[in-house]
């Protein structure tokens, strides 16, 4: 995905400009992600950006330009997240004041956008109680503009591990938020995968449904209220499909919709062949 919004390539890009570009295109980072407000004053500092996802979860977003400290940005975001979780009335009032009437949850998420993240930051993000995304970006110069190309480095909501033992969720619990159309679409996808030799479905205690080849995860399904995300153990080069977004760790994701079902099955066929051949 490319976010285009910087008109000049002849000077240092400001952090505020990077923030504005991302805020205009939040929905491209994640379907349903909506910008609520920028530079919001709290008792512990000024939050760069506040958003809401499609499930009404507040999302705190912190930005750092190239050369800025991603560690500092993560610490700031954690501080705001804790403060907001302890100030739920203030948070709900702020969201309403900024013109959003959709009910919000108490499940606060964090997104940190920076040029790069080292392994220490990634390990720290995985240990947090909040759902955290670390998004890096590369800057590419065109003739009259600069392209910002984001890449998801860490998404702890989509992790394939769990911090504590929990009972598995039922299929109904996983799918309860889906519309009838999306529930039928998921059922069609699950039926197709279960026909593949040595494939089993595992209804995880976390927020995803795992498909395994001989007990090895190769597809993870994240049902959301308005869309279904499929995580595959593939890189962009292996998937070779428009709309496929590569993450770190050899995984990437693709959004399943009625119009992308055939593409999703092509990617599924690719990853199935990879794991079946021992890849």
């Amino acid at each position: 995905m490319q976010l285009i919004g910087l008109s000049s390539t002849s000077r240092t890009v400001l952090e505020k400009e990077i923030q504005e570009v991302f805020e205009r295109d939040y929905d491209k980072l994640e379907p349903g992600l909506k910008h609520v407000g920028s530079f919001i004053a709290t008792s512990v500092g000024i939050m760069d950006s506040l958003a809401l996802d499609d499930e009404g979860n507040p999302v705190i977003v912190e930005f750092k330009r190239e050369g800025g400290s991603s560690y500092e940005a993560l610490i700031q975001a954690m501080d705001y997240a804790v403060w907001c979780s302890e100030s739920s009335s203030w948070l709900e009032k702020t969201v309403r004041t900024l013109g959003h009437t959709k009910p919000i949850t108490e499940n606060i998420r964090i997104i940190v956008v920076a040029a790069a993240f080292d392994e220490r930051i990634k390990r720290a993000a995985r240990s947090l109680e909040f759902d955290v995304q670390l998004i890096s970006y590369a800057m590419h110069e065109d003739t009259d503009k600069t392209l910002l190309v984001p890449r998801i480095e860490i998404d702890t909501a989509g992790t394939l591990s769990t911090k504590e033992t929990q009972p598995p969720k039922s299929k109904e619990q996983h799918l309860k938020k889906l519309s009838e159309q999306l529930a039928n679409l998921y059922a069609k996808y699950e039926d197709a995968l279960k026909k593949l030799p040595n494939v089993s479905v595992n209804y995880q205690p976390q927020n995803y449904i795992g498909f395994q080849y001989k007990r090895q995860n190769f597809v993870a399904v994240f049902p959301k209220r308005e869309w279904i995300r499929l995580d595959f153990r593939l890189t962009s080069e292996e998937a070779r499909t428009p709309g496929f977004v590569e993450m770190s760790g050899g995984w990437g994701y693709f959004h399943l919709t009625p119009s992308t079902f055939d593409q999703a099955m092509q990617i599924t066929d690719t990853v199935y062949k990879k794991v079946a051949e021992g890849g």
Side-chain angles (χ1 to χ4, degrees):
M1 176 187 60
Q2 293 181 338
L3 302 180
I4 304 173
L6 303 177
S7 59
S8 173
T9 62
S10 61
R11 56 178 172 77
T12 301
V13 176
L14 301 176
E15 187 173 294
K16 181 181 178 182
E17 293 176 291
I18 294 172
Q19 177 173 336
E20 289 172 348
V21 170
F22 275 89
E23 286 179 336
R24 285 199 299 268
D25 284 313
Y26 271 162
D27 192 67
K28 292 182 181 178
L29 283 180
E30 178 182 306
L33 188 64
K34 298 186 183 301
H35 177 237
V36 173
S38 306
F39 305 114
I40 298 173
T42 74
S43 294
V44 292
I46 298 177
M47 189 188 309
D48 281 350
S49 187
L50 178 64
L52 287 177
D53 68 16
D54 70 330
E55 296 184 347
N57 299 317
V59 185
I60 293 167
V61 190
E62 287 295 307
F63 296 87
K64 286 297 175 186
R65 65 176 178 83
E66 192 170 9
S69 170
S70 58
Y71 178 77
E72 179 184 343
L74 180 59
I75 294 296
Q76 289 174 331
M78 289 166 52
D79 196 17
Y80 298 140
V82 171
W83 187 85
C84 286
S85 67
E86 296 172 348
S87 309
S88 55
S89 297
W90 173 90
L91 181 59
E92 185 167 0
K93 181 179 178 181
T94 298
V95 170
R96 299 285 174 267
T97 301
L98 292 171
H100 292 260
T101 58
K102 183 177 181 178
I104 67 172
T105 74
E106 296 181 354
N107 180 31
I108 296 172
R109 297 173 50 199
I110 291 172
I111 294 178
V112 178
V113 179
F117 299 92
D118 62 29
E119 289 304 315
R120 184 178 65 163
I121 301 299
K122 294 178 183 179
R123 286 194 298 271
R126 293 189 186 100
S127 71
L128 298 179
E129 63 176 296
F130 299 103
D131 290 343
V132 179
Q133 279 189 344
L134 302 183
I135 300 177
S136 64
Y137 60 85
M139 300 177 64
H140 298 281
E141 295 185 1
D142 203 349
T143 53
D144 59 349
K145 56 184 173 288
T146 298
L147 309 182
L148 295 184
V149 183
R151 169 189 169 95
I152 296 177
E153 298 288 345
I154 292 291
D155 183 356
T156 63
T159 184
L160 299 185
S161 62
T162 182
K163 298 182 180 71
E164 57 185 53
T165 302
Q166 305 173 48
K169 293 180 182 178
S170 67
K171 180 177 180 178
E172 290 70 26
Q173 287 175 311
H174 277 288
L175 303 181
K176 65 181 180 180
K177 296 178 181 178
L178 293 181
S179 65
E180 182 178 357
Q181 181 188 38
L182 286 179
N184 291 336
L185 183 65
Y186 170 78
K188 180 181 177 182
Y189 183 74
E190 180 180 296
D191 288 344
L193 263 70
K194 288 167 70 174
K195 292 177 182 177
L196 298 173
N198 298 309
V199 169
S200 59
V201 59
N202 187 3
Y203 300 109
Q204 302 283 345
Q206 305 98 312
N207 59 349
Y208 74 94
I209 300 169
F211 287 90
Q212 300 178 332
Y213 175 82
K214 295 182 177 180
R215 303 185 68 179
Q216 179 184 14
N217 280 311
F218 70 102
V219 179
V221 180
F222 294 85
K224 300 292 185 179
R225 181 175 285 115
E226 298 177 4
W227 47 277
I228 299 173
R229 193 180 97 181
L230 305 179
D231 284 22
F232 297 98
R233 214 182 81 183
L234 289 174
T235 64
S236 294
E237 185 176 351
E238 292 171 320
R240 297 181 180 276
T241 303
F244 182 90
V245 179
E246 185 173 337
M247 301 185 288
S248 62
W251 285 76
Y253 70 84
F254 184 78
H255 286 113
L256 176 64
T257 67
S259 63
T260 63
F261 184 84
D262 290 342
Q263 291 170 290
M265 289 307 304
Q266 290 173 3
I267 301 172
T268 302
D269 183 61
T270 299
V271 71
Y272 176 77
K273 290 178 179 177
K274 175 183 176 180
V275 296
E277 294 170 359

